[in-house]
Amino acid sequence: GESVGLHLPTLSVQEGDNSIINCAYSNSASDYFIWYKQESGKGPQFIIDIRSNMDKRQGQRVTVLLNKTVKHLSLQIAATQPGDSAVYFCAGSQFYFGTGTSLTVIP
Amino acid sequence: EAGVTQFPSHSVIEKGQTVTLRCDPISGHDNLYWYRRVMGKEIKFLLHFVKESKQDESGMPNNRFLAERTGGTYSTLKVQPAELEDSGVYFCASSQGYTYLAKNIQYFGAGTRLSVL
């Protein structure tokens, strides 16, 4: 079956630095991947998505990279801010989520 | 526009009791999903409704869980009888579509935290 997981359960970065959150998947049949951000007390919120035929997609301060060869994707956050502190999930098109990476931004 | 709303936000029950969770999706969203996150673990898919029909219920853990979506609007998830391992946060999400990426973005509610003692 499909699995989507994250490399690190926690990540701490200094405010202003760039953050990189990684995710691995096992099912190559996923048509797309989505990154979600979950703040404390809230449900996951959509950040950015990428189709499986793309390698890179940029949003506002965020970039997602997809490496289909090694079945890996990453979320890069530029100039990390305290408001970026949250749990980040990657999900495939079959409604599978990873365990999440908890990002803490140190002021 | 109202987002996905879930009720209650927190429920504490004893083992063996029954609990019913409710989800109101975004108006006009035919697709409704239930997920569960047990402490520290991944968000696990439970089931997916398209309107009032169950499109996929492969994630439902056992027959103690019953989900309904009468009329294709709000949905309920009943746990009867509740067991200790049912504790966790239950999320509901809705989307316009589920096959085309642009319409498949799921909007989540804040979740219901269920504590079974």
Side-chain angles (χ1 to χ4, degrees):
Chain A
E2 173 172 346
S3 68
V4 178
L6 290 161
H7 287 179
L8 291 174
T10 62
L11 176 66
S12 294
V13 298
Q14 206 71 35
E15 181 179 358
D17 288 351
N18 296 333
S19 303
I20 299 177
I21 301 171
N22 297 299
C23 180
Y25 63 94
S26 63
N27 188 346
S28 301
S30 190
D31 295 330
Y32 55 83
F33 297 91
I34 301 176
W35 280 97
Y36 288 92
K37 171 186 179 183
Q38 185 186 6
E39 297 175 277
S40 180
K42 298 181 180 179
Q45 291 181 295
F46 171 85
I47 302 174
I48 190 170
D49 55 56
I50 186 168
R51 290 188 180 278
S52 59
N53 61 357
M54 300 170 67
D55 298 321
K56 179 179 180 179
R57 186 160 190 221
Q58 286 186 297
Q60 189 175 21
R61 282 202 307 119
V62 295
T63 300
V64 57
L65 300 178
L66 176 61
N67 185 330
K68 293 178 285 293
T69 302
V70 295
K71 298 182 181 178
H72 177 274
L73 68 160
S74 65
L75 177 71
Q76 301 179 1
I77 305 173
T80 312
Q81 303 168 359
D84 295 327
S85 294
V87 179
Y88 290 81
F89 294 92
C90 61
S93 56
Q94 300 304 312
F95 315 135
Y96 286 92
F97 284 71
T99 54
T101 289
S102 178
L103 174 67
T104 300
V105 181
I106 304 167
Chain B
E1 179 183 299
V4 177
T5 57
Q6 293 186 244
F7 182 83
S9 58
H10 192 183
S11 180
V12 182
I13 61 172
E14 292 186 348
K15 174 183 173 181
Q17 290 185 321
T18 298
V19 62
T20 301
L21 314 180
R22 172 168 171 148
C23 170
D24 286 75
I26 292 173
S27 178
H29 282 192
D30 287 339
N31 296 269
L32 186 148
Y33 315 82
W34 283 100
Y35 294 87
R36 175 172 72 173
R37 187 180 191 206
V38 176
M39 183 63 71
K41 299 188 177 179
E42 71 267 32
I43 296 178
K44 280 202 164 183
F45 167 80
L46 297 179
L47 89 160
H48 168 209
F49 283 100
V50 177
K51 296 184 180 179
E52 69 275 8
S53 299
K54 293 176 184 175
Q55 178 74 17
D56 181 353
E57 53 183 329
S58 60
M60 294 288 266
N62 51 61
N63 59 10
R64 295 186 294 103
F65 289 76
L66 175 63
E68 295 180 319
R69 194 184 182 195
T70 306
T73 54
Y74 71 91
S75 174
T76 58
L77 179 65
K78 180 190 289 187
V79 185
Q80 178 183 29
E83 298 290 343
L84 299 178
E85 63 266 24
D86 300 332
S87 295
V89 181
Y90 290 76
F91 291 106
C92 174
S94 71
S95 68
Q96 286 185 293
Y98 69 95
T99 56
Y100 178 56
L101 177 59
K103 294 186 182 296
N104 187 44
I105 295 171
Q106 295 182 33
Y107 296 87
F108 282 77
T112 293
R113 180 174 296 278
L114 175 63
S115 301
V116 183
L117 306 178

